[in-house]
Amino acid sequence: MGTDGTMTALALTSAEEAVAHVNSGDTVMVGGFGLVGAPLGLIDALVEHSDATDLTIVSNNIGEPGRGLGKLLRQGRIRRGISSYFTSNPEAVAAVNAGEIEATLLPQGTFAEAIRAGGAGIGGFLTPVGAGTLLAEGKEQRMVGGVPHVLEPPLRADVALVYAARADRLGNLWYRHTARNFNPLMATAARVTIAEAGEILDVGELDPESIHTPHLYVDMLVERS
Amino acid sequence: MGTDGTMTALALTSAEEAVAHVNSGDTVMVGGFGLVGAPLGLIDALVEHSDATDLTIVSNNIGEPGRGLGKLLRQGRIRRGISSYFTSNPEAVAAVNAGEIEATLLPQGTFAEAIRAGGAGIGGFLTPVGAGTLLAEGKEQRMVGGVPHVLEPPLRADVALVYAARADRLGNLWYRHTARNFNPLMATAARVTIAEAGEILDVGELDPESIHTPHLYVDMLVERS
Amino acid sequence: MTDDPRHRIAARAARELRPGEVVNLGIGIPNLIPRYLDADAEIFVHTENGLLGVGPPPDEDALDEDLIDAAKRPVTALPGAAYFDSAQSFAMIRGGHVDTAVLGALQVSERGDIANWAVPGKDVLGVGGAMDLVVGARRVIVTMTARSSDGEPKVVDRCTYPLTAPAAVDTIVTELCVFRRVEGRLCLTELLDGASVTDVEAATTARFDVVLATQSA
Amino acid sequence: MTDDPRHRIAARAARELRPGEVVNLGIGIPNLIPRYLDADAEIFVHTENGLLGVGPPPDEDALDEDLIDAAKRPVTALPGAAYFDSAQSFAMIRGGHVDTAVLGALQVSERGDIANWAVPGKDVLGVGGAMDLVVGARRVIVTMTARSSDGEPKVVDRCTYPLTAPAAVDTIVTELCVFRRVEGRLCLTELLDGASVTDVEAATTARFDVVLATQSA
């Protein structure tokens, strides 16, 4: 064990190199609540430097028109969206209505919990949310303590793109204010997690009590330019 | 909204007054991994100042012989334990074997997840852990992605007793080192959560990015004496 | 008091909130509530994108792009606030740790069913946290005008719009009155701003009991 | 190299670990592994009570009662360490984020079943994190002596003790040899310290293939 404190640092990667890990047909999680906390540099690199298409995007929103994931949408590279709120991008709504993308809508808490479950090795969970509504159609329902619940499956991805205000060179992450949102969840739920960080610190500079995402979840580190 | 920053503080309570909220027949969650992070002042108050008996204790261990929950055990006030490791207190093992207390054993990760689920309004979850073993007997099992899973119910309590190194006067909590363990989970999963804090700070003195248990989970605050 | 019914509704709904409560405020009328709270009301505002302790909007020169509420408006954080991720935020909601959710609706039925996320025949592509809030919050207060912009009653015998949740609403505040669900029955408990029981009856298709314990102040 | 077989097993198991790996070390032989790692081995030790980045034991005068490992021994935290709660810790384990778990066992079968928490006829009152670790870790290495203190083989055709998990073990290191499970079959891949295939056969009831790609160093 490296008792001298010089633990294996993640090699810093360019956004362009990092998004080369996204392949056509992949499921990609993208952090952010709207554009707040979204990994905008990684999204731009995906838009500009990757040919990966036929993507399933797991993100609370599909960006805004021409911004964030909205750029990828305009390129026609999204096959399916899994979100709680497509409505924030009218172009996404139009694309769904035109049959250009497939939409899976989840209540926001179910969406968050399903990503956490995916990262935590949970095979499914029962939630009372959505029971008795359109969003429970086709899903297994059962009573728990006299209350109808829906059985929801976990969500996992091939690649997660997340944004953190600070990282250390091991890949420990710290989020700022409400830019935290879905990022720590998505960091746990993908085969490859790529973190874009506003600031990259030396190992030991983040308070060990306040690390929001421990480094074992993070595979690649990109500095926001 | 109190824009002047003087939000409702929790009244500080003595440990004796606080444990008066534990009634006979209650389910009580008690934080700590062994004695580390255990709310020892609240346990002592329960031992010395409460008559509540016939208790179901949800705690990773039943203390050690004559220490922590081991004191309550010696008083014969525990009817049932829900734990991952009774073995750390040989007197608890003896009490189970003598039929004096009922034991429910859970894998430690299932134990933790069930408490989280109880606090998070999750009606049950599927875990691969325990499938094909004695601990899955009598439980619903199903395949998920070709892997056998066990359906586990959430755990909730009447009262949770937790320990935090620091609290502010609203009841926000911050844990130190490995004394965190089950405390933040239990704080979410009881009707009444009583926190014993090593140090009680003014509102605003805890970093809002680093609060481990937001105050909405905490009902009573006791200063460790 | 303003003549705008939306503001009158917000002002009345503000009086429903009790000191120390954790409250989640939806978009629209609920968001007007903070201006009708006393400075010492001691309400903790939760926003589902990850903050407990929402404060008033920031000054123009103090905008922080990382600090928004669920309506994506800039906010501030009060002393004692805490940030958390979305799974934790919805664990709070679904787990019953948010005392009160105040939100708008398209329709509420006499049995407390609520429809507030989708209109039949239109896209159902945005639900956000609405379902979690109405199922999870301990108390659900709906604030809305008595009639839609088309003049249709919004307190109805049976919702015709897609449900957000069945049997979830505790209290309805319109510009005409306050309804409460008591033991499964809808009760008219208060008339507002000079409205009569007849006015209320004319603006709803719901059956309700009249239990006027108090008159509007 | 020590004569104590437990230390020889730990030393051999240490060579299984690769730089950058996150490793959870059980009680007993696994806990001897750190002393056989190079100073620059760059292994991250996870302890399930809530710490990634476990360092060596503290000096007597630097004991911190809030800083222990899952065996309840005092430890230190290395630079870059992180603390977390038990749900997060087991989410890491069950979610496959811990690369390797090294643990002891009472029995391991030829199909990789492991029994390491209970003895038939005795109390089954302590399981701790054992089941989570063997199910969740990406790779499970068992370190144990070839025979029990009663002289019974511990690598067996079928476990007679209560299982911790079926088909969970990837690698077994005893003082005699290394076994690996390859495509569902148990393979003897390395003889240790001058042991022969006959020695191994005498100490197990399991069927195994002999695939001696490398000899013990």
Side-chain angles (χ1 to χ4, degrees):
Chain A
M1 165 171 15
T3 52
D4 55 352
T6 57
M7 287 301 219
T8 317
L10 290 178
L12 281 187
T13 310
S14 71
E16 183 174 347
E17 289 170 311
V19 298
H21 288 80
V22 177
N23 296 305
S24 288
D26 274 0
T27 296
V28 183
M29 290 184 176
V30 183
F33 185 85
L35 300 176
V36 172
L40 297 175
L42 292 171
I43 295 170
D44 281 351
L46 195 59
V47 167
E48 290 161 24
H49 301 295
S50 161
D51 293 327
T53 189
D54 199 28
L55 301 173
T56 293
I57 297 295
V58 180
S59 191
N60 191 55
N61 318 88
I62 308 296
E64 297 180 4
R67 300 179 69 194
L69 288 168
K71 296 181 189 177
L72 202 66
L73 178 76
R74 284 190 179 171
Q75 293 182 318
R77 293 163 61 192
I78 303 178
R79 180 177 62 80
R80 181 182 175 206
I82 303 177
S83 304
S84 90
Y85 208 73
F86 291 86
T87 322
S88 55
N89 185 351
E91 295 179 3
V93 173
V96 174
N97 289 336
E100 292 160 13
I101 75 172
E102 185 187 332
T104 301
L105 187 71
L106 292 170
Q108 196 168 123
T110 301
F111 176 78
E113 187 71 10
I115 298 166
R116 180 194 175 275
I122 294 297
F125 59 93
L126 293 163
T127 172
V129 176
T133 78
L134 281 182
L135 297 192
E137 284 180 8
K139 293 181 179 176
E140 180 176 337
Q141 296 190 52
R142 65 164 68 191
M143 300 299 278
V144 179
V147 177
H149 281 62
V150 184
L151 180 64
E152 294 281 357
L155 283 171
R156 284 193 57 79
D158 298 295
V159 180
L161 308 180
V162 304
Y163 172 72
R166 294 180 194 155
D168 70 18
R169 290 183 180 279
L170 290 180
N172 287 307
L173 305 181
W174 179 92
Y175 308 93
R176 183 170 174 274
H177 295 359
T178 56
R180 194 182 312 187
N181 56 65
F182 300 94
N183 285 299
L185 315 175
M186 291 178 172
T188 71
R191 196 168 40 73
V192 177
T193 292
I194 306 173
E196 175 180 345
E199 189 182 3
I200 298 181
L201 306 174
D202 285 335
V203 174
E205 288 194 84
L206 288 175
D207 173 9
E209 311 284 5
S210 306
I211 288 168
H212 300 133
T213 294
H215 65 79
L216 83 175
Y217 291 120
V218 178
D219 300 293
M220 308 183 77
L221 200 52
V222 173
E223 188 159 12
R224 175 165 282 193
S225 57
Chain B
M1 163 172 14
T3 52
D4 57 349
T6 57
M7 289 301 219
T8 317
L10 291 177
L12 281 186
T13 311
S14 71
E16 182 175 348
E17 289 170 310
V19 298
H21 288 80
V22 177
N23 296 305
S24 288
D26 274 0
T27 296
V28 182
M29 289 183 177
V30 183
F33 185 86
L35 300 176
V36 173
L40 297 175
L42 291 171
I43 295 170
D44 281 351
L46 195 59
V47 166
E48 290 161 25
H49 301 294
S50 161
D51 293 328
T53 189
D54 198 29
L55 300 173
T56 293
I57 297 294
V58 180
S59 192
N60 191 55
N61 318 89
I62 308 296
E64 297 179 3
R67 300 180 68 194
L69 287 169
K71 296 182 188 176
L72 201 66
L73 178 77
R74 284 190 179 169
Q75 292 181 318
R77 291 164 61 191
I78 301 178
R79 180 177 63 81
R80 181 182 176 208
I82 303 177
S83 303
S84 89
Y85 208 73
F86 291 86
T87 321
S88 55
N89 185 351
E91 294 179 3
V93 173
V96 174
N97 288 336
E100 291 160 12
I101 76 171
E102 185 187 335
T104 301
L105 187 70
L106 292 171
Q108 197 169 119
T110 300
F111 176 78
E113 188 71 11
I115 297 165
R116 180 193 174 275
I122 295 297
F125 60 93
L126 292 163
T127 174
V129 176
T133 78
L134 280 182
L135 297 193
E137 282 179 9
K139 294 182 178 174
E140 179 176 337
Q141 297 191 52
R142 65 163 69 192
M143 301 299 278
V144 179
V147 177
H149 282 62
V150 185
L151 181 65
E152 293 282 356
L155 284 171
R156 285 193 58 80
D158 297 295
V159 180
L161 308 181
V162 304
Y163 172 72
R166 296 182 193 153
D168 71 17
R169 290 184 179 279
L170 290 179
N172 287 308
L173 304 181
W174 180 91
Y175 308 94
R176 184 171 174 275
H177 294 1
T178 56
R180 194 183 311 187
N181 56 64
F182 300 94
N183 285 300
L185 314 175
M186 292 178 171
T188 71
R191 197 168 39 73
V192 176
T193 292
I194 306 173
E196 174 180 348
E199 188 182 4
I200 297 181
L201 306 174
D202 285 334
V203 174
E205 288 194 86
L206 287 175
D207 172 8
E209 311 284 5
S210 306
I211 288 169
H212 300 131
T213 294
H215 66 80
L216 81 176
Y217 291 119
V218 178
D219 299 293
M220 307 185 76
L221 200 52
V222 173
E223 189 159 12
R224 177 164 281 194
S225 57
Chain C
M1 183 58 67
T2 167
D3 276 351
D4 181 341
R6 291 161 43 86
H7 280 263
R8 295 207 310 270
I9 295 166
R12 178 60 190 83
R15 291 201 284 120
E16 292 289 307
L17 305 180
R18 294 177 286 253
E21 271 197 296
V22 173
V23 178
N24 185 295
L25 300 173
I27 299 175
I29 296 174
N31 259 318
L32 301 172
I33 288 176
R35 65 183 80 179
Y36 295 102
L37 292 171
D38 294 338
D40 61 351
E42 298 181 333
I43 300 299
F44 300 98
V45 177
H46 171 275
T47 185
E48 63 267 31
N49 56 317
L51 169 61
L52 175 65
V54 177
D59 295 333
E60 275 296 326
D61 58 355
L63 281 178
D64 183 328
E65 62 178 15
D66 285 343
L67 186 41
I68 59 167
D69 67 9
K72 295 179 184 155
R73 298 170 315 175
V75 294
T76 53
L78 296 176
Y83 297 101
F84 30 82
D85 68 44
S86 301
Q88 174 70 272
S89 188
F90 283 93
M92 291 174 180
I93 292 169
R94 199 180 37 237
H97 306 285
V98 171
D99 296 299
T100 302
V102 189
L103 26 73
L106 300 166
Q107 295 179 324
V108 178
S109 82
E110 61 190 42
R111 64 185 285 265
D113 297 350
I114 175 171
N116 79 341
W117 71 287
V119 175
K122 292 192 72 174
D123 321 312
V124 286
L125 290 171
V127 64
M131 288 187 179
D132 304 271
L133 282 161
V134 298
V135 170
R138 289 184 185 224
R139 181 167 63 138
V140 174
I141 300 176
V142 169
T143 54
M144 61 181 186
T145 54
R147 293 176 181 274
S148 70
S149 52
D150 298 336
E152 294 296 321
K154 296 171 74 172
V155 180
V156 294
D157 55 346
R158 213 168 62 80
C159 292
T160 54
Y161 291 1
L163 291 192
T164 310
V169 174
D170 299 291
T171 301
I172 307 167
V173 181
T174 72
E175 73 279 21
L176 300 179
C177 70
V178 177
F179 285 113
R180 295 186 198 278
R181 277 214 307 143
V182 181
E183 291 171 10
R185 295 184 65 86
L186 190 68
C187 299
L188 169 65
T189 59
E190 189 176 325
L191 291 164
L192 298 176
D193 299 317
S196 65
V197 173
T198 311
D199 294 335
V200 172
E201 282 172 339
T204 180
T205 60
R207 288 163 298 185
F208 59 88
D209 296 344
V210 180
V211 192
L212 291 169
T214 55
Q215 289 292 90
S216 169
Chain D
M1 185 60 64
T2 167
D3 277 351
D4 182 341
R6 293 161 42 87
H7 280 263
R8 296 206 311 270
I9 294 166
R12 177 60 191 84
R15 292 201 285 119
E16 292 289 307
L17 304 180
R18 294 176 287 253
E21 271 196 297
V22 173
V23 177
N24 186 295
L25 301 173
I27 299 175
I29 295 175
N31 259 319
L32 301 173
I33 288 177
R35 64 182 80 180
Y36 295 103
L37 292 171
D38 294 338
D40 60 351
E42 299 182 331
I43 300 300
F44 300 97
V45 177
H46 172 273
T47 185
E48 63 267 31
N49 56 317
L51 169 61
L52 174 64
V54 177
D59 295 334
E60 275 295 327
D61 56 357
L63 281 178
D64 183 327
E65 63 179 14
D66 285 342
L67 185 41
I68 60 166
D69 67 9
K72 295 178 185 159
R73 298 170 315 173
V75 293
T76 52
L78 296 176
Y83 298 102
F84 31 82
D85 67 45
S86 301
Q88 174 70 272
S89 189
F90 282 93
M92 291 173 181
I93 293 168
R94 198 178 39 235
H97 306 285
V98 171
D99 296 299
T100 302
V102 189
L103 26 73
L106 300 166
Q107 294 179 325
V108 179
S109 82
E110 60 190 44
R111 63 185 287 265
D113 297 351
I114 175 171
N116 79 341
W117 72 287
V119 176
K122 292 193 72 174
D123 322 313
V124 286
L125 289 171
V127 64
M131 288 188 179
D132 304 270
L133 282 160
V134 299
V135 170
R138 289 185 186 222
R139 182 167 63 139
V140 174
I141 300 176
V142 168
T143 54
M144 61 182 187
T145 55
R147 293 176 181 276
S148 69
S149 52
D150 297 338
E152 294 296 321
K154 295 171 74 173
V155 180
V156 294
D157 56 345
R158 216 168 61 79
C159 292
T160 54
Y161 291 1
L163 291 192
T164 310
V169 175
D170 298 291
T171 301
I172 307 168
V173 181
T174 73
E175 73 280 21
L176 300 179
C177 69
V178 178
F179 285 113
R180 296 188 198 277
R181 276 213 309 143
V182 181
E183 292 171 9
R185 294 185 66 86
L186 190 68
C187 299
L188 170 64
T189 59
E190 189 178 325
L191 291 166
L192 298 177
D193 300 316
S196 65
V197 173
T198 311
D199 294 337
V200 172
E201 282 172 340
T204 179
T205 60
R207 288 163 299 184
F208 58 89
D209 296 344
V210 180
V211 191
L212 290 168
T214 57
Q215 289 291 92
S216 171

